[in-house]
Amino acid sequence: MAGILAWFWNERFWLPHNVTWADLKNTDEATFPQAEDLYLACPLAFCIFMIRLVFERFIARPCALGLKIQANGPQKAQPNAILEKVFTAITKHPDEKRLEGLSKQLDWDVRTIQRWFRQRRNQEKPSTLARFCESMWRFTFYLYIFTYGVRFLKKTPWLWNTRECWYNYPYQPLTVDIHYYYILELSFYLSLLFSQFTDIRRKDFLIMFLHHLATISLITFAYVNNMARVGTLVMCLHDSADVLVEAAKMANYAKFQRLCNLLFVMFAMVFISSRLGVYPVWILNTTLFESWEIVGPYPSWWVFNLLLILLQFLHSFWSYLIVKIACRAISRGKAGKWNPLHVSKDDRSDIESSSDEDNGPPPTPVQKHHNSTTNGTNKVHGTNGYLSAGAPCLDEH
């Protein structure tokens, strides 16, 4: 184990030339980031998770009820042992061949079985109230941490001159404000990582799990090799858009249509301008070119910049998705109200659409004949299938 640790913390990888870990030990005159400082984030992540539970129960939930957001979830499917066995053991999305087989076995028409599976899938999804409470928690945290970041950074020289991120590197002392900022951000993302297993089950569970891992890795990486100054810029920049998207979701759940539209437009403008404009011009410029000029490259420098460049590709992809959602919303809005979050359906949280017919129970065998004779008409109205949003998630960055 000692050999593995010595290999992992190799000074030639982590630190610039002629710098050792001994040079960065804490002294009476200066304090530097230490890897063991981050151990504090684990118990703090648990505390944040508990605070979240209290917040959602005693603050977010009353607010949601005050906005008349209903606590009841989607309608439950009628109990059926055969369909339940197929749903739990075989597939939640039966193909046409299986639907026809079930139709013959149960003496139900195919459209009714499709409706049952749709209702059964929706049954596992949360109510609007639960989604509102989760968004309100994230909105509150992002608003707090972004406000803290702005108030802290406006007093620092590297906000106004990014070359200050590299002067005297890596012998830049760690301040209490920077330590608090990093530990709180790291703890929050650790809590998100673990709460994925107890939270609303997302369609993009694996993608967001990997996203949280990447975020935690970047925060840890920047702290350990004392790239803490530029790390604070990256964190604050990314938090700016998160506040708006969670606010837009809350407005959408509360059915404040105009406010939702306004917040989505603001979110799209902030996201695209900050991720495609400010990030490459401000962040990548200093990590790639100014740091090369002042400090020079070394192995972990290459890794850090590679991760930041990969993040830029993700920014471009997510910006494309946002523009796509906006275009779909505008095109559909020609025939009705413009609602970007409704069009996107936020695949991670919203429930599949269904017709008003879906609220009724499956027909009896006697009704089957009548349904089959009217099936052609129903197909014209699109009730034979199920509607689902196909747009991607806009959430953690």
Side-chain angles (χ1 to χ4, degrees):
M1 181 60 68
I4 293 174
L5 291 175
W7 170 82
F8 181 81
W9 294 110
N10 191 302
E11 295 167 343
R12 298 284 60 80
F13 171 80
W14 289 97
L15 302 175
H17 302 298
N18 300 321
V19 179
T20 67
W21 292 119
D23 298 331
L24 299 178
K25 288 295 183 182
N26 294 333
T27 64
D28 294 336
E29 292 76 23
T31 300
F32 300 104
Q34 307 294 318
E36 52 267 25
D37 296 345
L38 301 180
Y39 294 155
L40 178 62
C42 293
L44 188 57
F46 177 76
C47 293
I48 289 177
F49 179 73
M50 299 306 295
I51 292 172
R52 171 191 168 177
L53 296 180
V54 174
F55 178 90
E56 290 185 357
R57 176 66 179 86
F58 296 102
I59 299 178
R61 184 181 175 87
C63 289
L65 295 176
L67 294 170
K68 299 181 180 180
I69 297 176
Q70 298 298 319
N72 53 321
Q75 180 184 359
K76 293 185 177 181
Q78 178 178 329
N80 186 287
I82 296 175
L83 295 181
E84 184 68 26
K85 184 176 180 180
V86 173
F87 183 87
T88 56
I90 302 175
T91 178
K92 297 181 180 181
H93 298 272
D95 56 21
E96 184 177 350
K97 183 178 180 180
R98 190 176 299 277
L99 286 172
E100 291 176 355
L102 291 171
S103 176
K104 294 178 181 179
Q105 184 178 0
L106 295 173
D107 200 24
W108 287 6
D109 63 272
V110 170
R111 190 163 57 86
T112 301
I113 297 175
Q114 288 177 324
R115 184 187 305 126
W116 188 94
F117 275 92
R118 179 167 60 255
Q119 290 179 341
R120 184 62 181 83
R121 288 192 298 269
N122 289 342
Q123 189 175 316
E124 296 188 339
K125 297 183 179 181
S127 65
T128 302
L129 184 142
R131 299 198 301 271
F132 178 90
C133 290
E134 180 180 320
S135 288
M136 187 172 178
W137 161 250
R138 295 190 183 209
F139 168 80
T140 303
F141 179 85
Y142 287 136
L143 181 62
Y144 168 75
I145 200 66
F146 176 67
T147 304
Y148 174 84
V150 170
R151 292 184 61 185
F152 158 65
L153 286 171
K154 70 180 183 181
K155 299 181 292 185
T156 63
W158 60 88
L159 176 66
W160 315 105
N161 179 13
T162 52
R163 298 177 70 88
E164 291 287 343
C165 293
W166 311 107
Y167 290 147
N168 197 36
Y169 177 84
Y171 303 106
Q172 297 165 345
L174 178 69
T175 66
V176 174
D177 290 331
I178 294 178
H179 180 260
Y180 175 79
Y181 198 7
Y182 268 84
I183 294 298
L184 194 59
E185 285 272 16
L186 181 59
S187 301
F188 178 71
Y189 281 101
L190 281 173
S191 72
L192 289 183
L193 184 71
F194 297 127
S195 65
Q196 274 197 287
F197 298 96
T198 59
D199 262 353
I200 299 165
R201 186 70 177 187
R202 308 297 198 187
K203 291 183 179 180
D204 59 350
F205 174 88
L206 180 59
I207 293 175
M208 292 311 300
F209 185 81
L210 294 175
H211 170 269
H212 295 332
L213 280 178
T215 304
I216 291 167
S217 299
L218 273 171
I219 293 174
T220 303
F221 198 98
Y223 187 88
V224 167
N225 67 355
N226 205 13
M227 291 184 178
R229 291 185 177 183
V230 72
T232 59
L233 301 180
V234 175
M235 290 189 296
C236 188
L237 180 68
H238 282 74
D239 290 335
S240 60
D242 295 333
V243 176
L244 293 171
V245 73
E246 296 301 337
K249 288 182 182 180
M250 289 164 57
N252 186 44
Y253 299 146
K255 298 183 179 180
F256 294 156
Q257 184 58 55
R258 292 183 179 179
L259 179 59
C260 172
N261 295 344
L262 175 62
L263 289 169
F264 180 83
V265 171
M266 292 173 60
F267 160 73
M269 293 174 61
V270 171
F271 187 96
I272 294 173
S273 61
S274 63
R275 310 299 172 90
L276 299 187
V278 178
Y279 181 82
V281 173
W282 193 40
I283 301 296
L284 291 183
N285 177 65
T286 190
T287 60
L288 285 170
F289 302 110
E290 292 178 350
S291 65
W292 181 293
E293 177 185 345
I294 297 171
V295 180
Y298 52 98
S300 68
W301 180 94
W302 290 102
V303 174
F304 186 67
N305 277 286
L306 178 61
L307 292 173
L308 293 178
I309 291 172
L310 290 175
L311 192 57
Q312 180 61 63
F313 282 109
L314 290 176
H315 291 165
S316 302
F317 176 67
W318 288 329
S319 298
Y320 160 75
L321 297 182
I322 292 172
V323 172
K324 182 179 178 181
I325 288 171
C327 290
R328 289 178 60 192
I330 293 171
S331 63
R332 294 190 182 189
K334 293 177 181 178
K337 294 183 178 179
W338 186 78
N339 185 345
L341 292 186
H342 179 74
V343 172
S344 75
K345 273 302 188 184
D346 188 6
D347 266 358
R348 299 179 53 216
S349 58
D350 282 340
I351 298 174
E352 294 171 316
S353 303
S354 58
S355 67
D356 291 338
E357 283 186 289
D358 294 347
N359 294 330
T364 63
V366 177
Q367 294 172 310
K368 180 191 171 191
H369 174 71
H370 174 73
N371 286 340
S372 63
T373 59
T374 59
N375 194 42
T377 304
N378 288 338
K379 285 184 180 180
V380 175
H381 295 286
T383 58
N384 61 309
Y386 66 90
L387 304 176
S388 63
C393 144
L394 300 176
D395 219 351
E396 313 283 63
H397 31 285

